[in-house]
Each structure stands twice: as C-alpha cells, then as structure tokens.
Amino acid sequence: MPPPAPASAAREDPRGVLARLAAVPAQAGPERSGEGLVPPAGEDLRERVRGELVARQLDEQLAARFAVGRRLRVLDVGMGEGRQALRLARLGHQVTGVESDPALVAAAEEALAKEPEGIRERFRPVVGDGHDTGVHFLPGSFDVVLCHGVLMRVESPDALLAGLGRMLAPGGLLSLLVRNADALALCAGLAGDWRGALDAFGTESAAEGPVRADRLAPLTAALAGIGAPLERWYGVRVLAGRASDGPVPVDEAEFQALLAAEERAGRTDPYRSVAALLHLCGVRG
C-alpha cells in the first residue's frame, strides 16, 4: 500500500500543490518515497510521477491476483533503462527485459551490475523487438507482461498485442501504458496551443510528431480479442500532465501531496478519462 499522505495534503486543493511546486527549494539529495525516489533538482517531475503511480497500480494488481510471496515470471517489453524491471527483480520476481535500443540495454546492465548477486540473477536484459517475442519465448511463459510506453511508437499495435497475449500463462496479467488520445486536445489547449487543440480533436496522433495515442474503447475491445479482457484501468498524470516541462525541485512533503492527489484523480471519474496516460490491466482467462 502507498504511504499515507500528510493530513494537510488530504484537505488541500490539488491545484494549490501544483502551483507551489516550483517555489519549493530542492533537497540536498534524493530521499526514499514509496518504491522510488523523490526527484532531485534536474530530474523531470512528470516522469517521476509516472514511475511512482504505475508502480503502485501494478503492485495493487499483483497483490490482488497472485499469492503473497509467489515469485512471478515477468516479461517487460520496451523496458527502457530497466527501472520497473529492476524494481520487480528486487521484489523477488524473475524478470526478462526486452528493449530494441542497445544503449538503453547497456544502461540497464550498468544499473544491474551495482546490485547484489541475487538480484543480478533474477533480471536478464535482452536486446530485441516486442514483435519478436514468439521467436524467443514459448506461449504461456510469463505470469506478467508489461508493455509501457511502447504502443505509442507502433503504427499498428494489433500484431504486437496479439503476441503479448500469447506470452501470458492462464490467469496472467497484461499491463499496458499508453498515451490517451482523449487528452490530446485538452493538453494542447491548457498550454495555450489553440491550433494544436483544434488539430487534436478526432485524431490519434500527437501534433508535435509521429507518436501515437490510443482511446480506451478500442483498446478494451483489443484486449478482449486477444483473450486478456480488461479488468482495471487507471489514469496517470491527470494533474502533473498539465505542468510545464523540465525539472521541478520538490521536497518530500510536497511530492507525497502531489502523488496523493494524482492517485485519487487517476481512480476517479471523470478525471481519469482525461489523464495524459492510461494504464490498462487485462487478465488472460
């Protein structure tokens, strides 16, 4: 369970928390916060919020579907630098991370080399493409499959999703993190980009480039089609997704207040429907 927010944060308007973030002096160094670290000066606040929220939501789903203490077989497709994969390995799970960028795999290996031997044995980073999972792994090989931030870079995600579904053992969990197409116009409009907001209505592509976005209803149908129907979904970065780009220094109390507000919004309608990202969890029957 996530740590409780300070009593003052529970009563405070989340907009007030966000408005004060840039004015808070930076800590001398990072401090522990749940499963991650409070961002030091120079680290992107939105990415830290994303990592913390997805970790909490994922842990909630794992606890709900698997016996306590069970060591799960995890496949992380598009693992990036391996932060989520390494976190799960630290928790005792056997993790295989697949990433197409050799530089990111090297970064994951560098981080892994600093870990104790037991954790190093539980995490295997691999250079590869998410479309090729069927070449490297047998169907039903994994209890959990993560695909975070990948579908937005795939022109047609149907084949990738089908392959991921085949990797799941019965009762296995598929965790997807995607850009929310229903938030594109809102994000542009709140940034004062009126032309971008107009262009974003009815489209599934971001105005600034080739990165795609997806909508909840088509993804729900797609998950049902691969035999892993949607069980739960969350919004991610409902509030921090509107914050300005770049590093924002925060201290422990402010970061916990922001997380508390974000977590509440990501579970509550109508706020979660306009989150910058959607976290979908499907379960194979």
Side-chain angles (χ1 to χ4, degrees):
M1 294 290 292
S8 60
R11 296 190 298 269
E12 188 172 2
D13 187 335
R15 292 171 296 181
V17 174
L18 284 170
R20 297 199 321 275
L21 286 177
V24 179
Q27 295 282 327
E31 298 182 29
R32 284 289 169 189
S33 167
E35 296 294 345
L37 295 171
V38 174
E43 187 165 0
D44 188 89
L45 174 68
R46 297 184 305 170
E47 286 307 301
R48 179 57 64 192
V49 168
R50 161 184 156 155
E52 287 277 358
L53 290 180
V54 172
R56 292 182 181 189
Q57 295 159 1
L58 182 59
D59 287 350
E60 177 180 88
Q61 292 302 307
L62 296 181
R65 307 194 182 284
F66 300 102
V68 175
R70 177 176 169 182
R71 294 196 170 187
L72 302 171
R73 301 164 297 167
V74 181
L75 175 65
D76 188 353
V77 174
M79 67 170 181
E81 295 181 351
R83 293 185 181 182
Q84 192 70 253
L86 185 55
R87 187 187 74 87
L88 292 171
R90 289 176 182 144
L91 292 175
H93 305 303
Q94 192 71 38
V95 184
T96 300
V98 176
E99 171 58 52
S100 60
D101 187 339
L104 293 179
V105 175
E109 291 174 336
E110 182 179 353
L112 183 60
K114 301 175 184 177
E115 297 291 330
E117 181 180 357
I119 295 176
R120 295 200 304 269
E121 292 175 348
R122 291 197 295 270
F123 178 25
R124 181 167 69 101
V126 176
V127 177
D129 189 278
H131 290 91
D132 299 330
T133 52
V135 175
H136 302 291
F137 311 110
L138 294 174
S141 294
F142 297 95
D143 304 302
V144 181
V145 174
L146 312 180
C147 185
H148 296 168
V150 175
L151 293 191
M152 61 186 70
R153 303 187 184 279
V154 177
E155 183 175 350
S156 179
D158 293 346
L160 176 59
L161 285 175
L164 299 181
R166 285 192 290 270
M167 293 298 102
L168 284 172
L173 176 72
L174 175 59
S175 172
L176 302 176
L177 187 68
V178 303
R179 291 194 76 192
N180 182 12
D182 287 328
L184 295 179
L186 180 61
C187 289
L190 290 178
D193 180 6
W194 315 123
R195 295 183 186 277
L198 286 170
D199 291 341
F201 283 108
T203 184
E204 294 184 354
S205 298
E208 67 270 18
V211 180
R212 292 180 53 261
D214 289 283
R215 301 185 189 278
L216 180 62
L219 279 179
T220 300
L223 288 173
I226 65 172
L230 181 68
E231 290 285 327
R232 184 68 188 269
W233 68 279
Y234 308 86
V236 176
R237 287 196 352 225
V238 178
L239 304 172
R242 321 301 176 203
S244 60
D245 292 337
V248 181
V250 298
D251 67 6
E252 172 71 12
E254 290 296 323
F255 188 59
Q256 289 300 326
L258 172 56
L259 285 179
E262 280 284 355
E263 191 163 27
R264 180 67 178 270
R267 298 166 180 268
T268 305
D269 291 324
Y271 309 107
R272 64 176 180 165
S273 64
V274 291
L277 306 169
L278 300 178
H279 183 196
L280 292 79
C281 298
V283 176
R284 187 166 185 82

